[in-house]
Amino acid sequence: MMKLQELEGARRQLDRVPPSPENWSARLPLLERLDALFSEPELENDPVLNRFYHEQCRRVIAEVRTWHGPGVRLWKLYSSAILVKDETGLVTGFDLNEGCTPACERRTRLRLSPGLVEEFAELVGRMFYTHGHLDHLGLAVADALLMRGKPVVAPGDAVRRWLLDGAVPAEEFQAEGVRCYRGAQRMADKEDVPNSAYAVTFQPGVTLLVRGDIYHWEELKPIYDRIESQGVKIDVMATSPFYQSGPDPVQETYRRFGCGFIPIHEWEFGHRLPVGRGGRATQTYADLYESFRIPGETGKCAVLAWGESAGLHPTVSTDRREKHEKSIHTY
């Protein structure tokens, strides 16, 4: 069994070297220490890891409650889950899931507690889910938000499939500063899963793009073309570097929009196959450093561990292809 002191010690080291352009290189060996700890077999069933994750969740909840701007700040949680708070005080969630949900039928211990689900539901003002896979869609979280009358947005397919009574299909959702783009996660051995990408603008004018699991260029390119035709300025993208066809999405997004990046979907333990093995799970932190090396070395990427946060700022350049302006500042 892993020792909690090892995880907490690695986290304290990261606290001493917070994410910033100046600390890009210095943080890599510290994050690689987490990679080594996370690589143990069956770690998703170690109560120590679950306790550590709960501590990071409580840390995020406390920080979000007390942060009051100015600007926009983003917090990283498990896998693809992020929270964003802007200077209006609104807290927006994306793909806040309940923890490790393996592709096969199997329980794991790396899960949110009922109490944390309720705390997140009190904290978050609105939630966007990209698609209906349970490593992205937190059913208990969504239900708790809906019980409070808070907006939950997801593709209509997910709303119907998971009986999210009161949720708004992304195809029908309209709100100032929010653009929903239809896409799909193409599946090799199953039906494709509808997947919405969201471009959300936060006060004082920072637009974040979240694509979920749109991994084929045939699905992503029409969305990018629409974004460009609409004149939408993307400042930051939260994305996995993974793709299955077409150009590298990190490089292509950087070329088109010159935006900053928050990597997500790393260490998704439910994706380790065969079940229970050791080693990487989706991407490691070292993998992220390689995939996002160019924007990272130019100060436009923040690789965040669970519980860490970054301040988001608009790009200054009027030409989205000029890449010298930073859109992520961490402090």
Side-chain angles (χ1 to χ4, degrees), residues 41 119 150 161 167 182 184 220 245:
E119 287 193 68
K150 296 182 177 181
R161 177 185 176 190
R182 292 188 188 186
L220 192 58
S245 68

Side-chain angles (χ1 to χ4, degrees), residues 170-215:
E171 302 86 345
E172 303 172 11
F173 183 75
Q174 295 184 358
E176 184 177 357
V178 178
R179 295 178 185 266
C180 305
Y181 300 96
R182 292 188 188 186
Q185 180 180 3
R186 297 192 178 187
M187 307 295 291
D189 55 350
K190 301 176 184 177
E191 290 187 8
D192 294 347
V193 177
N195 184 314
S196 292
Y198 301 101
V200 181
T201 301
F202 300 94
Q203 295 301 321
V206 179
T207 299
L208 174 70
L209 177 64
V210 179
R211 69 162 175 161
D213 285 355
I214 301 175
Y215 292 143

